[in-house]
Amino acid sequence: MIAIWDDHELANNAYVDGAENHQATCKANEASSAADQDKAGCDSGEGKYTDRMQAATKAYMEWMPIRRGAGTTGLVDTSITQIIEWGDLATIVGLDTRLKVRSKDPTIGLSFWASDVVVLATVNKNMSKWMESPLVGQFKAAAKVLQDARANESFAQLGSDQRQIMEDAFKASKAAGKPWQTFAAGTMMGPQATPNFAALPDVVGAALKPSAQAIVDGLHNALAFARQCTAGAMFEVPWNSDGFDGFSYERGLILESFKQHTNNPIVLGGDLHDSWAWTLFDGGVAQSGTPVAVNLGAPGVTAPGWGGSLSGMFQSAGSSMWDFIHKSFMAGNPGLKYASTKDKGFFAVKATKTRHVAEFYLINDNASAPASQPYTAKNYKDARTAGRLTAPYYCGTSLVTTAGSKGSLAEQASCEVVFQTGSWPAEWSTIKLPAYTIPATTAATAAAATTATATTAAAATTTTTKQATSSSKETSSASTTRSSSWRGILVASMLAGVALEVLGFAAEAPNLVSRN
């Protein structure tokens, strides 16, 4: 597995020497009232941050099947840098974006929701006046304050040393003629604009325009939150400063490096809980311009996202509800090519020399099924007792990036990634899982059966698909070479960061070089 941690393996909104929810000492205790605990943000002191991070990263390294690298990552005595050379097809670089250098201010401050843009949208209900003087000037000035603060040249998630590591790896990859350069990041690089409800009626089609206009007018009149979202999109102030939106200067440096030293850069990210796919433009701050890279954002498995907040606002849209919600996001963000906030799941990537296909697989009966969590909210024990360890899924979209066309994301009519032959079992009623403990007298037999089953499964996967597969979490420091002609499938799901689980290589290791 290639894996990169993010904050929730460590502490919420962690940065180089602290975290939003870490308090070395606490003004409340377990006997304090709920109000006092809420005010303090804790019910007990949590000790030294360094001790917490050492314990968290030690547990991570002991349990995650990744390569531990020599060196340090900020305060902790390990490196999570990893460089994977996938034959002559791709170079994958995973780097820490949490503990080594991450700046405090954009991580836990510089919030859009606390900005004067939100204040102005809250108190000015008559939106027809927003683009007139003097109000338009006030909105633009408030937006610029936050944009300039986030563009601070000292803010960093990677820092100069890690940026140089990635640039050197990608420069060599480009020189070697590899078509794909992939950056596995814990957070998103794409501008995370709030939904632009005001623009929705113009993007839903003539037949739906009247109903969309009526809904939007009602939302803007009744809800300050709706006006706040529209203002953020209109005046180009992304809401999430914890991602690269809060580190826009460094994002510009990375994209400039991609522009010069890659053939076709792909950025994989997580952290935002929903499904997203962007074309990243030159400079990163502007929402249009010369395409430079692709950013694929993996959804969470169970983490709540925008859908829970917005679905209630659009109930009157009926069957058009989710289409209205997702088009509102895309209307406020020209580089956003796909958005889905309804269902959780994962995305899969299939890469050849000429095409990079990203497909979002979402957990539900189908795309039209109501949003719910029956398949993802069960704990393991209950799911196992019920005989249900798999769930139905559907393909939300298939996006193609063509080699030689940086940043391209063209939606194709049907999905093509194959995970296995036959149908995926809805229930494991005929597949008996091993017992929690194996009696000593049968351990040898069970081990032999497990080995035989694993070998057969690996061989079947290799014979029928000749593809590699993957799932989501984080990374370490080492350089590994993969088959030059292997067609790769990487499956990513956002738990806190990004993980690429590479399967099928153990049985194939002796034949990797000649595989086609």
Side-chain angles (χ1 to χ4, degrees):
M1 175 180 283
I2 310 166
I4 295 292
W5 58 41
D6 196 38
D7 55 340
H8 282 256
E9 289 85 355
L10 310 165
N12 185 53
N13 288 347
Y15 48 92
V16 66
D17 56 2
E20 184 177 48
N21 73 332
H22 180 85
Q23 292 82 24
T25 60
C26 183
K27 293 182 179 179
N29 55 52
E30 293 180 358
S32 301
S33 67
D36 287 344
Q37 291 179 0
D38 288 343
K39 183 178 180 180
C42 54
D43 61 11
S44 63
E46 295 167 315
K48 291 176 62 178
Y49 182 71
T50 304
D51 292 344
R52 181 176 182 174
M53 292 302 100
Q54 290 285 7
T57 56
K58 183 175 185 290
Y60 183 88
M61 291 296 179
E62 288 175 350
W63 285 93
M64 291 291 285
I66 62 175
R67 300 167 184 84
R68 177 170 179 161
T72 63
T73 300
L75 301 176
V76 300
D77 60 354
T78 187
S79 171
I80 200 168
T81 300
Q82 190 167 13
I83 301 172
I84 298 294
E85 301 295 346
W86 202 298
D88 61 359
L89 186 65
T91 297
I92 303 170
V93 175
L95 299 169
D96 169 81
T97 57
R98 278 291 163 189
L99 295 183
K100 192 173 181 67
V101 300
R102 176 182 269 267
S103 307
K104 175 182 178 179
D105 286 352
T107 302
I108 64 173
L110 303 183
S111 170
F112 164 72
W113 304 108
S115 71
D116 285 345
V117 174
V118 167
V119 173
L120 288 167
T122 302
V123 300
N124 290 280
K125 295 182 66 173
N126 185 355
M127 294 177 61
S128 65
K129 302 292 186 181
W130 283 15
M131 300 308 291
E132 298 177 3
S133 293
L135 197 53
V136 65
Q138 295 172 6
F139 269 113
K140 289 181 177 180
K144 190 174 187 302
V145 168
L146 195 54
Q147 291 163 347
D148 289 349
R150 291 172 170 180
N152 189 315
E153 295 184 14
S154 69
F155 291 169
Q157 287 191 43
L158 293 179
S160 59
D161 290 348
Q162 290 196 116
R163 292 198 305 271
Q164 193 62 53
I165 288 171
M166 180 162 61
E167 181 171 303
D168 290 345
F170 284 170
K171 188 184 297 185
S173 180
K174 178 180 181 180
K178 298 183 183 185
W180 308 106
Q181 289 72 43
T182 300
F183 171 31
T187 56
M188 305 290 199
M189 293 190 74
Q192 184 64 31
T194 46
N196 188 342
F197 300 126
L200 177 63
D202 294 327
V203 297
V204 296
L208 293 174
K209 185 171 183 176
S211 62
Q213 189 68 62
I215 291 172
V216 167
D217 288 345
L219 290 176
H220 283 153
N221 288 332
L223 298 176
F225 175 69
R227 298 194 301 276
Q228 293 163 6
C229 288
T230 294
M234 287 177 61
F235 296 101
E236 299 185 7
V237 187
W239 69 271
N240 183 41
S241 63
D242 183 53
F244 275 95
D245 283 327
F247 302 77
S248 58
Y249 177 78
E250 184 175 51
R251 176 172 57 190
L253 295 178
I254 294 169
L255 291 177
E256 182 61 29
S257 177
F258 286 173
K259 187 177 178 181
Q260 296 185 40
H261 303 302
T262 65
N263 287 321
N264 302 282
I266 307 290
V267 181
L268 309 180
D271 189 52
L272 291 182
H273 301 192
D274 294 311
S275 301
W276 314 97
W278 286 272
T279 291
L280 300 178
F281 296 113
D282 191 15
V285 178
Q287 295 185 11
S288 62
T290 303
V292 173
V294 164
N295 187 189
L296 304 173
V301 176
T302 59
W306 278 91
S309 300
L310 299 182
S311 58
M313 296 165 56
F314 281 88
Q315 287 293 325
S316 61
S319 60
S320 299
M321 175 175 68
W322 293 108
D323 185 53
F324 281 11
I325 290 171
H326 299 151
K327 284 183 176 176
S328 294
F329 277 105
M330 297 170 75
N333 194 338
L336 186 62
K337 304 303 181 183
Y338 177 69
S340 179
T341 65
K342 173 175 170 283
D343 296 315
K344 302 304 174 183
F346 59 94
F347 67 74
V349 168
K350 175 180 176 181
T352 67
K353 285 292 189 72
T354 58
R355 298 167 75 246
H356 183 283
V357 182
E359 297 182 350
F360 285 78
Y361 287 87
L362 305 173
I363 300 169
N364 211 326
D365 295 313
N366 53 61
S368 300
S372 61
Q373 300 295 324
Y375 302 115
T376 58
K378 290 182 179 294
N379 63 47
Y380 177 78
K381 182 180 179 181
D382 290 346
R384 179 173 180 170
T385 301
R388 189 173 195 98
L389 290 178
T390 62
Y393 60 85
Y394 65 94
C395 183
T397 192
S398 182
L399 302 171
V400 179
T401 300
T402 302
S405 181
K406 287 185 176 181
S408 59
L409 277 175
E411 186 171 29
Q412 60 179 357
S414 59
C415 298
E416 62 182 73
V417 172
V418 177
F419 296 102
Q420 74 291 315
T421 58
S423 60
W424 192 280
E427 295 186 7
W428 284 21
S429 57
T430 60
I431 301 175
K432 302 301 182 184
L433 298 176
Y436 287 112
T437 59
I438 301 176
T441 55
T442 61
T445 302
T450 301
T451 301
T453 302
T455 303
T456 301
T461 301
T462 306
T463 302
T464 57
T465 66
K466 295 182 182 177
Q467 297 169 334
T469 312
S470 145
S471 176
S472 163
K473 238 174 183 326
E474 285 83 289
T475 310
S476 129
S477 174
S479 181
T480 305
T481 301
R482 299 301 186 198
S483 164
S484 60
S485 56
W486 196 270
R487 288 187 298 151
I489 296 181
L490 307 176
V491 179
S493 177
M494 192 288 297
L495 296 181
V498 166
L500 311 174
E501 183 182 354
V502 183
L503 306 177
F505 286 115
E508 285 288 3
N511 302 314
L512 282 179
V513 175
S514 60
R515 176 63 58 189
N516 57 35

